[in-house]
Amino acid sequence: MAPVSVPFTDLAAMTQDVRRDVDAAWRSLLADSDFVGGAAVEQFEQDWADRCGTTHAVGVANGTDALTLTLRALGIGPGDEVVVPVNTFVATVEAVVLAGATPRFADVDPDTLLLTAHTLAAAITNRTSAVVVVHLYGQTVDVDAVGRVAQAAGLAVVEDAAQAHGATWRTRPAGSLGLAGCFSFYPGKNLGAFGDAGAVVTSDQALARTLRSLRNHGRLPGAPHLHGDVGTNSRMDTVQAAVLSAKLQHLDRWTAARRHVVDRYRQATAEGPVRLVAVAPGAEPAPHLAVALVPDRDAVRSMLARRGVATAVHYPVPCHRQPPYRRFADRPLPVAEEAADRIVSLPLFPHMSEAQVNQVCGALRDVAAEAVVGVAR
Ligand SMILES: *Cc1c(COP(=O)(O)O)cnc(C)c1O
C-alpha cells in the first residue's frame, strides 16, 4: 500500500461542507448590510444555548473575552484568587490576569492531565473565590468531584470549554456544568468560525444580562446612550454567526468522526509504550486533540515524521513557566511539569481518510516495535 501523508489538521474540508450555506448567508448579509450583531447572531446564540442545555448564550469576540468578561461579570477582580490548571492554553490564565484577579496554579492528574478535586483542593487559600475548570483536549473534568470541593470552599465554577464543543459529563453538556461555560470558535476549534468568535453559555439570567452589557461598552439594556459599566467591544460579527450556524449542523457528524479516529489510535497503542491520555469515567469526549504520553518525544516525533505523519505539542511550556505568569508560581507542580516533556498531539480532523488513519496507526505500531528492541529513534 502506498504511504499517504497525514497533515496535523485540515480545515479546508470542513469549509467545503458548509460552502453553499455560507455563500447563501453571505448574499443575504450583503443585502441587509447587517455586520455586527443582529438576527443571525441571535439565532446562533439561541441554537448554541439549546445545544449546551442552558437558557442563554452570549456571543462575544473570542474565547479569551468569554473568560475575562465572565469573571468580571461575576464580580471577580483585584484581591480575588482564581484557581487554574497549568496544563492549558495560556488564554485561561491570561483571562484571570486581564480580569484583575490573581491566578492560583493547580497541578493535574497524571492520566487525564486535567484538574481534579485533589489538585484543586491543594491550590485553594482563604482568598480564592473561583476556579476555572478546563475541559482540555475535548475531555470533561470530573465536575462532580471538583464541584464538591468548590462548593465546600465557596468558589464559583467557570468552565473553559474552548476545546470541548459537544463533550459531556454524565450526559450533561460541557458549558452547562458550572455557573457559566466559555467557548472559543477560533477557526481551529471543533466548531470554528471564519475568523475569531466566542460565546458564554449560562442559565443565570442576571449573569447573561451583565455579559450582554459588558460586551457592548457597558451599555444598559433599553438605554442606548447610558453606560452602566466600563465594558469593552466584544461583539460577535454577523458573518461569523452565519458560519457557525451552518457548521453547527455538521458538528455531531464531525465529532463522531473524531471519536472514531481516537478509538483507532487507542487500539493501536494498547500495548504501549505510547499511551493516549485517559478519559475520566463519566466523560464522553468530543475530541479536539489526540494527545499521547511518550517516553522519548523527539525520537517518536521524528519516527512519525519519517512515515509522513505530522505531529504537534499542546503545550510544551506549562503556564506557570511562561514569563508573564512565573511570578504567580509559588510551588512545584510536578505532574504537569513532567508531562510537558512527554506529550505529543497526533493528527486529528473529521475528514481523515481511512488510509490516513491506518498510516498513523501503522506508524504508532512501528514506534512500539522499535521501543521493544530498544532502538526508538
Ligand atoms: C483557544 C482557547 C482559548 C482562547 O480562545 P481564543 O478564541 O483564541 O481567545 C482559551 N482556552 C483554551 C483551553 C483554548 O484552547
Side-chain angles (χ1 to χ4, degrees), residues 83-88 104-110 112-124 131-132 141 146 318 320 331-340:
V83 175
V84 289
V86 286
N87 183 39
T88 182
R104 275 289 294 170
F105 290 129
D107 210 345
V108 293
D109 178 80
T112 64
L113 304 185
L114 302 178
L115 184 79
T116 66
H118 179 74
T119 64
L120 167 61
I124 294 173
V131 54
V132 182
V141 166
V146 163
H320 66 303
R331 66 208 162 99
L333 299 164
V335 177
E337 285 161 15
E338 216 243 334

Side-chain angles (χ1 to χ4, degrees), residues 209 212-213 216 218-227:
R209 202 182 304 120
R212 287 184 197 287
S213 171
N216 194 18
R219 219 160 245 167
L220 293 174
H225 299 293
L226 272 183
H227 304 266

Side-chain angles (χ1 to χ4, degrees), residues 335-360:
V335 177
E337 285 161 15
E338 216 243 334
D341 294 330
R342 294 180 47 221
I343 45 179
V344 61
S345 306
L346 303 170
L348 180 60
F349 49 95
H351 298 77
M352 273 181 90
S353 69
E354 226 30 45
Q356 287 176 317
V357 179
N358 290 338
Q359 176 84 6
V360 180

Side-chain angles (χ1 to χ4, degrees), residues 285-368:
H288 174 60
L289 294 168
V291 173
L293 289 151
V294 297
D296 181 344
R297 179 166 64 206
D298 290 344
V300 170
R301 290 192 78 187
S302 61
M303 274 192 72
L304 294 176
R306 282 201 302 278
R307 287 158 179 77
V309 176
T311 56
V313 179
H314 302 86
Y315 299 89
V317 182
C319 294
H320 66 303
R321 297 220 158 140
Q322 297 286 359
Y325 307 111
R326 277 184 207 145
R327 66 194 174 97
F328 303 111
D330 60 355
R331 66 208 162 99
L333 299 164
V335 177
E337 285 161 15
E338 216 243 334
D341 294 330
R342 294 180 47 221
I343 45 179
V344 61
S345 306
L346 303 170
L348 180 60
F349 49 95
H351 298 77
M352 273 181 90
S353 69
E354 226 30 45
Q356 287 176 317
V357 179
N358 290 338
Q359 176 84 6
V360 180
C361 290
L364 289 170
R365 287 194 192 93
D366 289 349
V367 169

